[in-house]
């Protein structure tokens, strides 16, 4: 993982002043937030992004004080006491967000630092251009809530020279100027996730924009830290990104063979009898299934998934069950009960799983429910 972090930092030029926020929300994209937080902090990362206050509290217990934790999802009033007590940095975008933080912060006698999110085209979180002045005024006049960052999120960062991205940049620049004009002292500006870092042009633009208002650039790599990155496509559909070629998957998901059996021609396998053997076969049984995140779409005849045993592919046979999957080891000599099986990580990637399932690597990784072991 540290190698992936360094690949990101080489592109964003941390020596030139850009700050790296490691996104570890959703349990570090399924990699175990406690493990990942320790690795990143030990590698020098000073900012981490968590999904919500509950996740922020758990991570704070792991990393201790001094590391900044940006809470990236919507804030509720019930969350505010933990935000103040645990020194979390929430994302805000309404006057109401500011007001409820002020009440708790004043009672505690502590100033809360926040980042203002601007909706530039995602239509999810954030204040739009029409409302940004009102929120900025409230932040500028607040004694107990200090806005130190302004952020947004790109819709199509993986598309080079996207017209959508250009529009979002223009909206973000306009919003940032309003915030500064209202008297907010902005320290950080950020809207660059992994794909934006990879695409490249947004980073340079951000640096110029930040310099104009006396701020610094922050980038928010997530999926790239875990070894995956969507290909950046140009107008000619060519792959133009460099980051995706540099990072390597860090997670290995393993199990063991718990049973072996032979079946003959005409025998069926699994629910629905969707697979019928054409000849003598040897099958291995694995204690993993869709309840663990090994998708049913990997079933034979659907996604035609596979696992790795001893560095060789073993195809899924029949339907993936809730807690079990059967694979073909007919041509893999020497397979025995207790042998290690790689479900993801060495010869089979999250991108492979995503292709079988008609989804993206993010969803595959976040969906793994297994015991994590730090290595």
């Amino acid at each position: 993982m540290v190698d992936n972090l360094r690949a990101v930092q080489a592109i964003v030029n941390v020596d030139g002043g850009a700050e790296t926020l490691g996104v570890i929300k959703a349990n570090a994209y399924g990699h175990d937030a406690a493990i990942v937080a320790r690795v990143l902090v030990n590698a020098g990362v000073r900012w981490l992004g968590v999904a919500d206050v509950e996740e922020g509290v758990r991570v704070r217990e792991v990393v201790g004080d001094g590391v900044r934790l940006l809470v990236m999802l919507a804030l509720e009033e019930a969350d505010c006491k933990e935000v103040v007590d645990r020194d979390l940095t929430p994302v805000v975008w309404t006057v109401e967000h500011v007001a409820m933080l002020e009440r708790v912060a004043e009672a505690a006698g502590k100033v809360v630092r926040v980042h203002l999110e601007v909706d530039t085209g995602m239509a999810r979180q954030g204040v739009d251009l029409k409302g940004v002045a009102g929120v900025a005024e409230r932040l500028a006049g607040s004694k107990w809530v200090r806005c130190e960052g302004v952020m947004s999120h790109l819709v199509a960062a993986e598309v080079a020279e996207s017209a959508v991205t250009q529009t979002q940049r223009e909206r973000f620049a306009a919003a940032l100027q309003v915030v500064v004009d209202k008297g907010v002292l902005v320290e950080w500006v950020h809207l660059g996730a992994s794909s934006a870092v990879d695409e490249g042009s947004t980073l340079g633009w951000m640096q110029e924009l930040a310099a104009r208002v006396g701020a610094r650039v922050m980038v928010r790599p997530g999926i790239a830290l875990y070894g995956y990155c969507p290909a950046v496509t140009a107008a000619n559909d060519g792959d133009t990104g460099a980051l995706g070629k540099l990072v390597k998957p860090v997670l290995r998901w393993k199990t063991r063979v718990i049973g072996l059996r032979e079946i003959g021609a005409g025998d069926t396998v699994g629910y629905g009898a969707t697979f019928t053997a054409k000849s003598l076969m040897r099958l291995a049984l694995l204690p993993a299934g869709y309840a663990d995140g090994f998708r049913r779409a990997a079933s034979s005849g659907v996604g035609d998934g596979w696992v790795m045993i001893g560095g060789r592919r073993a195809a899924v046979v029949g339907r993936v069950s809730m807690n079990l999957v059967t694979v073909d080891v007919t041509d893999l000599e020497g397979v025995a009960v207790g042998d290690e099986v790689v479900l993801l990580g060495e010869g089979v990637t999250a991108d492979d799983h995503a292709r079988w399932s008609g989804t993206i690597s993010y969803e595959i990784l976040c969906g793994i429910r297994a015991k994590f072991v730090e290595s």
Side-chain angles (χ1 to χ4, degrees):
M1 171 163 280
V2 175
D3 288 342
N4 293 338
L5 170 67
R6 299 300 180 227
V8 171
Q9 292 178 329
I11 292 175
V12 303
N13 185 20
V14 291
D15 293 335
E19 185 76 22
T20 305
L21 179 150
V23 179
I24 61 169
K25 64 180 181 176
N27 199 30
Y29 291 42
H31 289 65
D32 192 289
I35 294 173
V36 172
R38 285 193 294 267
V39 171
L40 292 177
V41 170
N42 288 339
V45 171
R46 296 178 293 180
W47 284 81
L48 298 172
V50 297
D52 52 30
V53 170
E54 182 181 358
E55 194 167 52
V57 169
R58 292 198 302 269
V59 173
R60 176 63 75 205
E61 291 173 351
V62 172
V63 301
D65 298 331
V67 178
R68 301 295 303 280
L69 301 180
L70 183 70
V71 179
M72 304 179 75
L73 299 187
L75 184 70
E76 298 184 59
E77 188 157 11
D79 297 326
C80 293
K81 188 176 188 307
E82 291 282 24
V83 166
V84 174
D85 290 347
R86 303 289 184 146
D87 190 25
L88 306 179
T89 303
V91 168
V92 302
W93 65 87
T94 70
V95 170
E96 289 74 17
H97 287 155
V98 181
M100 58 193 190
L101 282 169
E102 283 176 326
R103 290 191 289 270
V104 176
E106 182 176 10
K110 297 179 181 179
V111 174
V112 179
R113 296 169 289 187
V114 302
H115 287 211
L116 174 63
E117 182 160 6
V118 180
D119 176 19
T120 57
M122 185 70 79
R124 300 190 310 186
Q125 298 188 158
V127 61
D128 60 21
L129 282 175
K130 293 181 293 184
V132 70
V135 182
E137 284 181 358
R138 182 60 181 266
L139 287 166
S142 179
K143 178 180 178 180
W144 298 102
V145 178
R146 179 166 71 86
C147 179
E148 63 177 359
V150 180
M151 62 180 284
S152 189
H153 197 71
L154 295 178
V155 175
E158 71 281 1
V159 180
E161 301 178 1
S162 166
V164 174
T165 298
Q166 180 58 35
T167 297
Q168 288 193 265
R169 290 178 185 176
E170 293 168 1
R171 291 173 180 170
F172 185 74
L176 179 62
Q177 191 60 55
V178 170
V179 172
V180 171
D181 289 345
K182 291 297 181 181
V184 176
L185 299 177
V186 179
E187 185 176 351
W188 303 104
V189 294
H190 52 107
L191 71 164
S194 296
S195 290
V197 171
D198 201 13
E199 189 271 337
S201 68
T202 294
L203 181 61
W205 172 84
M206 286 174 57
Q207 290 169 329
E208 294 176 4
L209 178 65
R212 289 205 298 268
V213 299
R216 294 174 59 193
V217 170
M218 180 182 286
V219 293
R220 309 187 303 257
I223 196 72
L225 296 178
Y226 309 103
Y228 296 89
C229 199
V232 176
T233 57
N236 61 1
D237 293 330
D239 184 352
T240 62
L243 187 57
K245 301 179 178 68
L246 298 175
V247 297
K248 304 295 182 185
V250 300
L251 181 146
R252 290 175 293 177
W253 182 18
K254 298 179 178 181
T255 187
R256 294 190 181 277
V257 174
I258 60 169
L260 292 162
R261 73 177 60 232
E262 289 187 348
I263 62 172
D267 289 340
T268 62
V269 180
Y271 285 116
T274 58
F275 180 89
T276 302
K278 296 180 180 179
S279 60
L280 182 67
M281 295 182 68
R282 189 168 187 245
L283 305 179
L285 185 64
L286 315 178
Y290 56 77
D292 309 293
F294 194 90
R295 300 296 186 88
R296 194 168 184 264
S299 301
S300 61
V302 183
D304 292 323
W306 68 85
V307 301
M308 301 295 293
I309 303 178
R312 299 168 292 175
R313 285 189 184 186
V316 173
V317 175
R319 286 181 179 166
V320 174
S321 300
M322 185 181 294
N323 305 107
L324 296 165
V325 62
T326 304
V327 298
D328 181 8
V329 295
T330 306
D331 297 327
L332 306 185
E333 294 183 6
V335 174
V337 171
D339 282 358
E340 184 178 84
V341 179
V342 177
L343 303 175
L344 189 155
E346 297 167 355
V348 53
T349 68
D351 288 329
D352 292 322
H353 281 259
R355 187 172 59 255
W356 305 333
S357 304
T359 185
I360 56 176
S361 57
Y362 300 73
E363 186 176 2
I364 296 298
L365 294 171
C366 291
I368 296 173
R369 292 179 288 277
K371 181 181 178 181
F372 289 83
V373 179
E374 192 166 2
S375 62

